[in-house]
Amino acid sequence: MQVLSEQELERRKDREELMKLGINPYPAPAFPINVTADDIHRNYENRKTDYKDIKIAGRLMSRRIMGSASFGEIQDASGRLQFYIRRDDICPGEDKTLYNTVFKKLLGIGDFLGLKGYIFTTQTGEISLHVTEMIVLSKSVKPLPIVKRDEEGNVHDGFTDPEMRYRQRYVDLTVNPEVKNTFITRSKIISQMRRYFDDHGWLEVETPILQAVHGGAAARPFGTHHNTLDMPLFLRIANELYLKRLIVGGFDGVYEFGKMFRNEGMDRTHNPEFTSMEIYVAYKDYIWMMEMVEELIEQVTEKIHGKTEIAVGDKLINFAGPYRRLTMYDSIKEYAGIDVSELDEAGLRGVCKQLAIEVDDTMGRGKLIDEIFGAKVEANLIQPTYITDYPIEMTPLAKKHRTEPGLVERFELFVNGKEIANAYTELNDPIDQRERFEDQLKLAARGDDEAMAMDEDFLRSLEYGMPPTSGLGIGIDRLTMLLTNKTTIQEVLFFPQMRPEKKQVEMSEEEKGIFELLKLESPVAIGLLKEKAGLSGKKWDVAMKGLTGKGVAKVTKEGDSITVSLLD
RNA sequence: GAUUCCGUAGCUCAGCUGGUAGAGCAAUACACUUUUAAUGUAUGGGUCCUGGGUUCGAGCCCCAGCGGGAUCACCA
């Protein structure tokens, strides 16, 4: 069914030709390398004698052929290296096939090669590999987009279409080296965080992704079904309630990096699956947690960038702690000029109307305050800022504030106008927790589809007793966006969710009929096939032209016999 | 979900007022032993996203659909 371009056919032919010459384009033996491109560029000048006998492997990314000598570039995981290859070096005898035929004609950009030789500096000063031996490691049969860079670093013919970059991330990573760096940074962020937590003696754990009750957050879940148990299961929208069970069980500190799944909208800051890091530490409160987060983020930023002040878009953001702390009410007072602390639900509705904020009847007091905050405050929080002390109605898992009635001990960390972390002094009174869940059920009854579900087993665990605990969640994708200066979540996910690529090749009824017949027998004599198909002459003709045109079937004429065969 | 822009060769993109589809790179062939966005000459390569419509004639105009981008809304 695959319709191949001229260039793809050409490369398949080259693959065959290599085999005919006795060269396996996909050899089994390992090709042990002893150096990387980056190593050579960094160290050759100082330790020239170490680079007399090197082996390097990677993709052929450019070629400049000039008669019996050529230049090219090979790209390994660390970068690119120019090589110089001369006919009489790799073909010392009479037979010049390896250079004239294999290198010049049968290889192409994108092929993997193993090269042996020594490093030298060209007349123009470029550190290069003088090739003495060349081995084909893997033939590429699909042409790679060629991205060129000139001396000023300008990119020509860039591979920039976001759709193709995300759908074919492997190509993106191959031809756009800076993309690789984003993901290396992402990995470093996670490993630095992990190191920080491990150094404090906290335990990395794994909790269920398939959950019978999707608790711990307010979001629509993905549902699935377990056959043996014959029961519905949900992909987790949060892991909070399981991590707390582990604190109940006696661990002092537990953390988990993991995927969460929310069946909601997709845009530049939301993907259906995303990565969060949640940590719970016993005998701590949210004040302690704020200090911990400051230290954590400051250290991670320092390790990644070597400094704490970094550019995000057109802004400079300083991740060195301590961060500004502002209560939810004070922030609304500051940015909207309104004191909402004493207002009841009706009063808040009045404020929303005055500020032209859309609300609906399902919204309770907490939700209304959150709407005002979202509309008036959030975007102003550029430098790292803690917003603290949220209304109790919007936070059913956090402990009541130690001094302020109606509030809970919660903070969220905002940077560049976006929330990147959320933390509580955790609610550990089982009676209070049950009442909060019941309030959520009432909100659900009002039509709030984000209200949290009751989790009886979690309540039972609290009844046994949970020590005072502080918990934190950090959105790893959003933190990575900040630290890599990317504006969309797709840029920090290897494989962001996309719509299905394209519909199957559509066939008419007649074409389908012939296709089914061909699946039973192929190749088949054309007369027999036509008879079996039972179509009128015109319909037969149109259907056959359609099938051959789509590359589904092929008509072959040998002497007097004409046969039809199915193509892959 | 709304608005708006886009979909043309393997890649990046032109395409006039509606009149037989173009360039650069890549590919193929030839030349060339230190080039580097190598160069020179020649050649091949197209479902102009899909389906309708208007028209003597549609890549271009109209309608519908598919896919994507941006902005906004929603999503703690």
Side-chain angles (χ1 to χ4, degrees):
Chain A
M1 286 247 210
Q2 208 177 355
V3 182
L4 297 174
S5 68
E6 184 192 33
Q7 292 189 39
E8 287 172 305
L9 290 171
E10 187 63 41
R11 280 168 175 261
R12 278 164 170 73
K13 216 167 72 195
D14 292 342
R15 173 182 168 279
E16 299 291 331
E17 292 294 322
L18 283 170
M19 288 172 165
K20 278 186 199 153
L21 288 171
I23 297 169
N24 182 353
Y26 307 98
F31 183 85
I33 60 163
N34 58 13
V35 71
T36 64
D38 181 54
D39 177 2
I40 292 165
H41 287 303
R42 277 190 292 115
N43 301 318
Y44 172 69
E45 288 296 345
N46 299 324
R47 304 206 321 266
K48 292 192 176 176
T49 49
D50 292 352
Y51 296 91
K52 295 273 185 220
D53 184 16
I54 70 134
K55 291 178 207 155
I56 192 166
R59 253 190 221 276
L60 180 61
M61 292 305 282
S62 73
R63 275 193 309 177
R64 294 181 288 279
I65 294 172
M66 302 165 299
S68 56
S70 303
F71 284 90
E73 284 177 294
I74 192 163
Q75 173 173 294
D76 67 12
S78 72
R80 287 191 188 189
L81 177 70
Q82 174 169 275
F83 65 83
Y84 175 63
I85 190 164
R86 207 161 53 172
R87 183 185 63 201
D88 297 338
D89 289 334
I90 62 164
C91 306
E94 283 299 303
D95 181 7
K96 306 297 185 190
T97 309
L98 186 62
Y99 182 81
N100 285 341
T101 307
V102 176
F103 179 75
K104 281 170 71 172
K105 298 196 195 304
L106 301 183
L107 293 185
I109 287 169
D111 294 347
F112 281 89
L113 300 178
L115 300 177
K116 299 182 186 178
Y118 56 90
I119 303 298
F120 73 110
T121 308
T122 64
Q123 286 181 358
T124 50
E126 171 124 4
I127 294 171
S128 307
L129 167 66
H130 192 124
V131 176
T132 53
E133 204 179 329
M134 175 187 82
I135 296 167
V136 180
L137 295 180
S138 181
K139 176 72 192 162
S140 158
V141 296
K142 204 170 178 65
L144 215 49
I146 311 294
V147 178
K148 298 216 168 189
R149 285 172 176 75
D150 63 22
E151 283 171 23
E152 287 87 46
N154 300 314
V155 175
H156 301 264
D157 299 334
F159 181 69
T160 55
D161 178 10
E163 178 177 7
M164 284 211 281
R165 287 186 48 231
Y166 303 153
R167 285 195 197 280
Q168 302 184 34
R169 184 67 89 182
Y170 35 87
V171 175
D172 190 27
L173 288 164
T174 302
V175 304
N176 295 327
E178 62 284 357
V179 172
K180 214 180 222 174
N181 290 334
T182 300
F183 290 99
I184 291 171
T185 300
R186 180 183 172 116
S187 180
K188 279 186 189 161
I189 290 168
I190 292 171
S191 61
Q192 285 300 333
M193 290 175 72
R194 183 173 279 132
R195 178 171 305 169
Y196 180 91
F197 298 146
D198 289 346
D199 286 349
H200 285 76
W202 300 321
L203 187 72
E204 180 163 20
V205 298
E206 293 174 276
T207 62
I209 289 172
L210 287 173
Q211 301 179 348
V213 180
H214 52 276
R220 275 181 292 162
F222 287 94
T224 184
H225 182 262
H226 190 280
N227 289 344
T228 303
L229 297 174
D230 190 22
M231 66 182 285
L233 285 172
F234 301 95
L235 298 185
R236 67 180 175 196
I237 57 174
N239 53 357
E240 170 159 358
L241 302 185
Y242 281 95
L243 290 169
K244 285 186 192 172
R245 284 170 169 94
L246 295 178
I247 297 293
V248 169
F251 292 108
D252 275 350
V254 289
Y255 72 92
E256 179 175 17
F257 286 90
K259 282 280 179 75
M260 306 299 153
F261 306 84
R262 295 188 183 176
N263 204 343
E264 290 175 345
M266 292 163 55
D267 60 26
R268 66 195 173 287
T269 55
H270 298 82
N271 195 65
E273 58 181 280
F274 63 98
T275 303
S276 91
M277 190 297 302
E278 296 241 343
I279 182 164
Y280 290 79
V281 184
Y283 313 115
K284 307 294 186 190
D285 63 9
Y286 79 141
I287 308 282
W288 173 87
M289 188 63 87
M290 282 190 251
E291 287 159 7
M292 192 275 263
V293 170
E294 282 162 358
E295 189 178 78
L296 171 71
I297 295 198
E298 183 176 326
Q299 279 191 19
V300 168
T301 311
E302 176 75 37
K303 284 268 165 49
I304 303 284
H305 290 287
K307 56 184 178 181
T308 57
E309 195 171 48
I310 63 167
V312 178
D314 55 0
K315 304 181 184 80
L316 261 186
I317 292 181
N318 189 353
F319 286 93
Y323 304 150
R324 187 180 183 206
R325 299 178 190 185
L326 197 58
T327 69
M328 172 70 94
Y329 286 157
D330 284 346
S331 74
I332 293 174
K333 219 181 282 176
E334 178 169 332
Y335 291 101
I338 296 167
D339 184 355
V340 295
S341 62
E342 304 296 328
L343 294 178
D344 61 6
E345 196 174 311
L348 287 168
R349 284 184 190 283
V351 170
C352 286
K353 198 165 183 189
Q354 182 192 327
L355 296 173
I357 297 167
E358 273 184 48
V359 294
D360 63 57
D361 293 342
T362 68
M363 291 177 177
R365 185 168 183 278
K367 186 84 180 153
L368 290 168
I369 289 174
D370 191 44
E371 292 291 325
I372 297 169
F373 176 81
K376 291 292 161 188
V377 181
E378 215 174 313
N380 297 305
L381 306 175
I382 303 303
Q383 296 301 322
T385 305
Y386 289 126
I387 297 297
T388 66
D389 302 345
Y390 286 61
I392 191 166
E393 296 88 342
M394 53 195 286
T395 316
L397 300 171
K399 188 174 280 191
K400 281 176 182 152
H401 197 277
R402 59 196 73 186
T403 56
E404 303 295 322
L407 300 181
V408 291
E409 296 204 347
R410 171 186 186 179
F411 73 81
E412 290 187 308
L413 175 60
F414 287 86
V415 182
N416 201 28
K418 299 265 159 46
E419 178 214 335
I420 64 162
N422 181 22
Y424 312 145
T425 301
E426 300 295 338
L427 175 55
N428 61 344
D429 176 348
I431 310 302
D432 188 358
Q433 181 68 80
R434 182 174 292 278
E435 286 168 7
R436 302 274 200 95
F437 275 137
E438 278 162 0
D439 289 342
Q440 288 292 304
L441 295 181
K442 282 179 204 151
L443 283 178
R446 269 174 77 169
D448 184 349
D449 55 6
E450 286 167 14
M452 221 174 273
M454 176 82 76
D455 185 333
E456 286 293 346
D457 178 69
F458 172 65
L459 283 170
R460 180 168 59 193
S461 76
L462 288 191
E463 286 166 7
Y464 281 107
M466 181 171 89
T469 299
S470 185
L472 162 79
I474 293 183
I476 296 297
D477 309 292
R478 292 189 186 176
L479 180 61
T480 305
M481 284 165 65
L482 277 175
L483 296 184
T484 57
N485 196 11
K486 299 292 179 211
T487 54
T488 70
I489 199 169
Q490 286 82 7
E491 290 292 341
V492 300
L493 298 171
F494 273 127
F495 304 106
Q497 191 62 49
M498 304 285 280
R499 278 178 208 276
E501 196 156 347
K502 60 171 120 131
K503 43 195 190 293
Q504 285 269 315
V505 178
E506 280 177 30
M507 288 190 256
S508 69
E509 284 306 308
E510 291 80 10
E511 288 169 9
K512 277 185 202 157
I514 297 173
F515 179 65
E516 291 302 319
L517 289 171
L518 276 171
K519 279 205 287 193
L520 297 174
E521 188 184 358
S522 166
V524 60
I526 197 162
L528 188 63
L529 183 64
K530 186 180 175 187
E531 198 178 310
K532 279 193 194 167
L535 296 170
S536 70
K538 173 137 186 146
K539 278 188 173 173
W540 159 259
D541 191 50
V542 168
M544 277 312 294
K545 277 182 182 156
L547 286 172
T548 53
K550 284 167 187 155
V552 175
K554 197 175 114 189
V555 179
T556 318
K557 189 173 178 184
E558 275 179 39
D560 287 342
S561 76
I562 304 173
T563 56
V564 184
S565 50
L566 204 57
L567 296 175
D568 297 332

